[in-house]
């Protein structure tokens, strides 16, 4: 199975973008340097407790 974005040569990341309270952005892919939401198909938002 091939990635449609890879096939079209689009800039993207296969990792999961994790947003902690919308302040901290981390990607699960160690080589990912661009943590823009538009580059990631899967985004997880962790809201602050309380």
């Amino acid at each position: 199975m091939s990635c449609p974005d890879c096939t079209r040569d689009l800039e993207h990341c296969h990792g999961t973008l994790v947003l902690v309270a919308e302040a901290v952005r981390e990607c699960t892919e160690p080589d990912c340097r661009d943590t823009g939401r538009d580059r990631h198909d899967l985004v997880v938002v962790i809201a602050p407790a309380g």
Side-chain angles (χ1 to χ4, degrees):
M1 180 181 220
S2 63
C3 169
D5 288 342
C6 288
T7 304
R8 293 182 294 185
D9 265 346
L10 295 176
E11 278 294 318
H12 66 288
C13 179
H14 292 160
T16 300
L17 182 64
V18 180
L19 303 177
V20 181
E22 295 287 335
V24 177
R25 293 176 174 235
E26 294 180 354
C27 179
T28 58
E29 283 291 316
D31 294 337
C32 181
R33 301 289 179 244
D34 184 349
T35 57
R37 281 185 148 199
D38 57 334
R39 291 181 34 91
H40 297 83
D41 287 333
L42 184 56
V43 177
V44 175
V45 178
I46 301 171

